[in-house]
């Protein structure tokens, strides 16, 4: 077994449970600094390093530079994440079967577990941190699916082991919970080991996602301490996994990871260009304020004391040998007149042109848009172009969201299958499911209706509702019931009209236009 930092006190080196809980716990702790950086950039709280402040500045100037550091952040990270996650809109869940009358049990389970909201939160974690987690439990019915935080959860690469961190501040106890699948030779899960390791402590070993102050500090302060994991945890009891039979039946552990493919958030590979944009903004502030006014200087030999013949000596306001205070001599203000020594000249600096900084920042934003696959008009509001060109630019965004939806679908199917089995539906183990997604790019109701109208002679009504109107199985069932009700009502109305016409001896079917003909029904 490979070397590892065993966090379980007294555990043997060949203890498989101790190995996996230690490895995954360390993986979780190692990821915390990067999570802090991603969260700080997403919140727009990153700060230019203090080394960017020029040396030897006065106390007054230092305060100004510190304010520039706080104002220098350009929060493109939030735009990048939200432009992805906001387009991932799961609206239902359905069973894929051969029968024409598809049931709505899967959609009902999705609704009971409040997955519309939970799925959005999990996919936001994927877009921001690169991973999202779901956990299925057997304790609360029918709401059996929970969203776990990337700050407290780690899953092995094969998905067979997971650890979850928790801290009980009231009792002063922190805990790592291990879920590990044991498989037979044919790959079937034969048992799920569930064990909990705890230790008494007055504080957390792993930073809380809600502790914004510490998160920002760890990202912005190079002297901040990186968290470490203690090695004095102890097992609470032997695990039996008796409450995870639903997961074993689905050949999985109850913790499901949904990733971005490379395990990175949407802007994580582009942190350097985001930092360069912050630096350019900081530099531009410094130039605009510190060099907004022309600097002046006196060239030539400047006397330091008053001599005979100086206007001030002649006027009696100064004496020969008094020190000359040039702060009074060169006072600024309307109508102020300066007296220059003989041979002295005034030098004035030129105003710095900030156009190169603005141009460079604009080009960097274009590079950022190209690198992230986002249309430039999402990051820059003044972009102009044709409608067809805008559609072409959005292809990268559409492909990205489509890929993330496909990856998320597998996680949702596994989690919902386990939830349905835990709720007593054992048949869900062998059924095929899929997530129902709203269109990535919103279209008008008119275009949707026209598209459905074009294919109504080719495809059946349910297929049109599913593929073109993006309705869930529950909505389709309701629509079909409404159609049957409308047909039944129309038939009843027709029958009543025919009965009334027969009772009066008049057949309305024989009446045509203005040349109405009365027909004797008895004849």
């Amino acid at each position: 077994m490979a070397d590892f930092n065993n966090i379980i006190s007294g555990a043997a080196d060949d203890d498989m449970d101790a190995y996996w809980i230690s490895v995954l716990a360390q993986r979780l702790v190692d990821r915390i600094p990067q999570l802090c950086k991603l969260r700080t950039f997403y919140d727009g709280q990153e700060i230019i390093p203090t080394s960017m402040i020029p040396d030897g500045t006065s106390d007054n100037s230092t305060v100004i530079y510190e304010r520039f550091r706080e104002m220098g952040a350009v929060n493109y990270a939030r735009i990048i994440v939200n432009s992805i996650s906001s387009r991932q809109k799961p609206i239902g869940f359905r069973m894929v079967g051969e029968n024409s009358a598809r049931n709505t049990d899967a959609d009902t389970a999705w609704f009971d577990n409040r997955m519309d909201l939970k799925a959005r939160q999990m996919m936001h974690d994927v877009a921001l941190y690169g991973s999202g987690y779901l956990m299925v439990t057997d304790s609360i019915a029918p709401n059996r699916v929970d969203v776990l935080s990337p700050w407290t959860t780690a899953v092995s690469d094969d998905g067979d082991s997971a650890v979850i961190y928790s801290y009980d501040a009231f009792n002063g106890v922190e805990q790592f919970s291990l879920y590990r699948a044991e498989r037979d030779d044919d790959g079937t899960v034969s048992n799920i080991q569930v064990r909990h390791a705890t230790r008494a402590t007055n504080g957390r070993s792993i930073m809380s996602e809600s502790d914004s102050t510490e998160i920002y500090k760890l990202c912005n302060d190079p002297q901040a301490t990186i968290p470490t994991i203690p090695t004095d945890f102890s097992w609470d009891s032997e695990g039996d996994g008796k409450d995870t039979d639903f997961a074993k039946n689905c050949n999985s552990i109850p913790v499901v990871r949904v990733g971005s493919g490379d395990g990175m958030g949407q802007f994580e590979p582009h942190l350097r260009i985001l930092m360069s944009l912050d630096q350019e903004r900081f530099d531009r502030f410094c130039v605009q304020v510190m060099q907004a006014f022309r600097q002046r200087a006196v060239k030539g030999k400047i006397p330091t004391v008053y001599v005979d013949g100086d206007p001030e000596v002649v006027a009696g306001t100064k004496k020969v040998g008094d020190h000359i205070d040039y702060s009074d001599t060169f006072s600024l203000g309307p109508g102020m007149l300066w007296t220059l020594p003989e041979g002295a000249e005034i030098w004035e600096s030129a105003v710095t042109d900030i156009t190169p900084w603005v141009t460079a920042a604009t080009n960097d934003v274009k590079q950022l848009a190209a690198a992230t696959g986002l249309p430039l008009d999402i990051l820059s509001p003044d972009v102009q172009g044709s409608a067809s060109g805008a559609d072409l630019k959005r292809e990268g965004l559409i492909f990205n969201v489509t890929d993330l939806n496909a990856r998320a679908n597998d996680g949702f199917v596994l989690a919902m299958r386990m939830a349905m089995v835990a709720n007593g539906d054992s048949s869900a183990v062998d059924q095929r499911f899929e997530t129902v997604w709203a269109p990535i790019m919103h279209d008008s109701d008119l275009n949707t209706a026209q598209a459905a109208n074009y294919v109504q002679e080719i495809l059946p009504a349910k297929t049109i509702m599913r593929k073109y109107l993006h309705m869930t199985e529950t909505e389709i069932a309701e629509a079909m019931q409404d159609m049957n009700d409308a047909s039944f009502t129309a038939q009843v109305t027709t029958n009543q009209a025919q009965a009334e016409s027969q009772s009066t001896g008049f057949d309305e079917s024989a009446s045509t236009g203005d040349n109405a003909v009365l027909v004797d029904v008895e004849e």
Side-chain angles (χ1 to χ4, degrees), residues 158-160 181-192 247-253:
D158 59 4
D160 279 351
E182 298 175 347
R183 295 183 180 270
D184 294 333
D185 294 338
D186 61 354
T188 304
V189 174
S190 59
N191 181 48
I192 296 179
K248 183 175 69 174
N249 294 337
C250 295
N251 210 37
S252 172
I253 61 174

Side-chain angles (χ1 to χ4, degrees), residues 36-37 40-41 44-50 69 212-224:
C36 289
K37 180 177 289 188
T40 302
F41 271 79
Q45 297 297 322
E46 73 274 16
I47 299 178
I48 300 297
T50 55
R69 290 180 65 225
S212 300
T213 302
E214 290 299 318
I215 291 174
Y216 302 156
K217 180 180 179 181
L218 186 59
C219 175
N220 295 320
D221 186 0
Q223 304 300 324

Side-chain angles (χ1 to χ4, degrees), residues 368-389:
L368 178 63
T372 57
L374 294 178
L376 182 58
D377 52 1
I378 291 181
L379 300 176
S380 180
D382 59 348
V383 176
Q384 297 180 355
S386 63
S388 59

Side-chain angles (χ1 to χ4, degrees), residues 33 41 58 62 142 260 267 271 280 379 388 446 454 480 512 516:
F41 271 79
S58 64
T62 300
S260 60
F267 66 88
L271 283 171
E280 290 171 353
L379 300 176
S388 59
L446 176 60
Y454 289 152
M480 296 303 296
T512 57

Side-chain angles (χ1 to χ4, degrees), residues 113 135-141 143-146 179 243 246 254 418-419 422-423:
N113 283 278
M135 182 175 182
V136 184
T137 62
D138 194 27
S139 56
I140 303 175
N143 188 10
R144 301 182 183 275
V145 183
D146 295 324
Y179 296 84
D243 295 331
F246 62 90
M418 288 191 289
N423 205 39

